[in-house]
């Protein structure tokens, strides 16, 4: 199973190890674009701070993020499993995984990034700030840049595995499964069900959407479940105690949709 995750704006304050080794990152086919994006981001942050804040979508109080981007080549790096913080990653808690579960995470999780394209939990990068929605000078829309280079890489990486796509829309734009890959891809929506005047009502949740996706991923990693398609994935999640409803694709070559229904958020 290949699990696709979004990053988090929340990150560790600093790395603790050697500086970035771009050549040492997984998926070396992405390195040419990684280098271009890194160069453009640092050049932007070396210039007018107000422009850098505007391009990166940051308020004045976050000017420290611009300064941090200046040192991306020299700053101490840390493993991606410890880089991201926030609701999803607190629930997933990658650093606490051990043994077979940790090995499954290392080989089966890809975390998408505006700066790095996609990373494995074992990759090492410094804390940074650059979301997928940014349009960098000389680069343009990052999703478009990554979409071009990822198109041949991700299908090969996935092989015949089920793809569990938990990305947000912005990061989903960097690679969209097609054809046979899409047919064994499942996207997830989290619904909160509550009883109002004796009637069950459901609503899409936001904050707890992330927490649920983190918990689901952790449960699958620890359980050792190896579903081969979306139907088997739904069954595996039900075995783990989740309430899951499936929607078969209406058109060939498109992903399955899974609704995970939670009563407590």
């Amino acid at each position: 199973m290949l699990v696709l995750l979004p990053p988090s704006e929340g990150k560790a304050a600093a790395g603790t190890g050697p500086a970035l080794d771009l050549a040492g990152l997984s998926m070396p086919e992405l390195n040419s674009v990684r280098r271009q994006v890194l160069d453009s981001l640092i050049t932007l942050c070396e210039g007018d701070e107000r422009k850098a804040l505007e391009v990166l979508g940051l308020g004045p109080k976050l000017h420290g993020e611009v300064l941090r981007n200046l040192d991306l080549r020299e700053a101490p790096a840390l493993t991606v499993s410890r880089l991201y913080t926030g609701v999803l990653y607190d629930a997933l808690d990658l650093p606490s995984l051990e043994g077979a579960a940790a090995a499954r995470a290392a080989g089966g999780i890809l975390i998408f990034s505006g700066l790095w394209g996609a990373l494995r939990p074992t990759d090492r990068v410094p804390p940074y700030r650059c979301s997928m929605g940014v349009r960098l000078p000389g680069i343009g829309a990052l999703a478009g840049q990554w979409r071009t280079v990822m198109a041949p890489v991700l299908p090969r990486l996935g092989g015949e595995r089920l793809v569990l796509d938990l990305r947000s829309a912005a990061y989903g734009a960097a690679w969209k499964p097609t054809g046979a890959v899409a047919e064994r891809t499942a996207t997830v929506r989290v619904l909160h069900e509550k009883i109002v005047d004796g009637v069950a009502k459901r609503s899409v949740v936001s904050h707890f959407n992330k927490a649920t996706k983190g918990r689901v991923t952790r449960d699958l990693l620890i359980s050792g479940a190896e579903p081969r398609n979306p139907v088997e994935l739904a069954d595996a999640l039900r075995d783990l105690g989740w309430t899951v409803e499936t929607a078969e694709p209406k058109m060939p070559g498109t992903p399955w949709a899974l609704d995970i229904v939670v009563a407590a958020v």
Side-chain angles (χ1 to χ4, degrees):
M1 179 172 57
L2 186 64
V3 182
L4 310 182
L5 295 176
S8 171
E9 295 293 0
K11 300 178 183 69
T16 56
L20 172 70
D21 175 15
L22 196 64
L25 297 181
S26 58
M27 293 166 284
E29 303 94 329
L30 306 184
N31 279 350
S32 61
V33 177
R34 285 170 172 157
R35 190 171 292 108
Q36 293 171 23
V37 176
L38 179 63
D39 290 346
S40 179
L41 178 61
I42 292 175
T43 298
L44 170 70
C45 293
E46 286 174 337
D48 184 88
E49 184 177 282
R50 288 176 296 178
K51 179 181 178 182
L53 289 169
E54 180 182 353
V55 170
L56 296 175
L58 304 176
K61 293 183 179 180
L62 294 176
H63 68 94
E65 299 292 293
V66 173
L67 299 178
R68 182 155 70 172
N69 282 346
L70 289 174
D71 296 327
L72 286 173
R73 293 193 184 94
E74 296 81 22
L78 73 166
T79 57
V80 170
S81 63
R82 296 183 179 275
L83 172 66
Y84 295 107
T85 61
V87 177
L88 189 155
Y89 289 93
D90 288 347
L92 176 53
D93 195 10
L94 284 170
S96 72
L97 294 175
E98 298 178 342
R104 282 189 285 272
I109 286 181
L110 287 184
I111 300 170
F112 279 63
S113 162
L115 175 52
W116 312 111
L119 298 165
R120 292 189 183 276
T122 50
D123 285 325
R124 299 183 64 91
V125 296
Y128 67 96
R129 190 64 175 258
C130 183
S131 67
M132 189 64 78
V134 166
R135 299 180 66 91
L136 286 175
I139 296 287
L142 292 180
Q145 293 292 323
W146 290 121
R147 188 161 53 244
T148 299
V149 71
M150 286 187 183
V153 175
L154 269 292
R156 289 200 305 267
L157 186 66
E160 298 299 317
R161 288 185 284 180
L162 162 75
V163 178
L164 175 55
D165 190 351
L166 302 179
R167 298 172 297 168
S168 57
Y171 291 89
W175 178 64
K176 295 182 181 297
T178 59
V181 180
E183 291 176 358
R184 58 176 182 273
T185 295
T187 62
V188 169
R189 181 176 63 166
V190 180
L191 299 177
H192 177 214
E193 183 175 85
K194 59 183 178 180
I195 306 301
V196 179
D197 297 328
V199 178
K201 294 189 176 181
R202 294 178 176 180
S203 60
V204 177
V205 295
S206 53
H207 177 81
F208 293 100
N209 166 62
K210 297 178 181 179
T212 299
K213 289 179 177 179
R215 294 182 191 121
V216 163
T217 303
R218 183 177 178 85
D219 282 355
L220 289 167
L221 293 170
I222 292 174
S223 74
E226 296 183 358
R228 295 164 296 180
N229 55 59
V231 172
E232 292 185 6
L233 172 62
D235 289 340
L237 290 172
R238 293 184 187 109
D239 289 343
L240 291 168
W242 295 96
T243 299
V244 182
E245 298 174 356
T246 62
E248 189 171 350
K250 296 180 179 179
M251 297 178 58
T254 56
W256 286 64
L258 271 60
D259 283 343
I260 295 179
V261 184
V262 296
V265 296

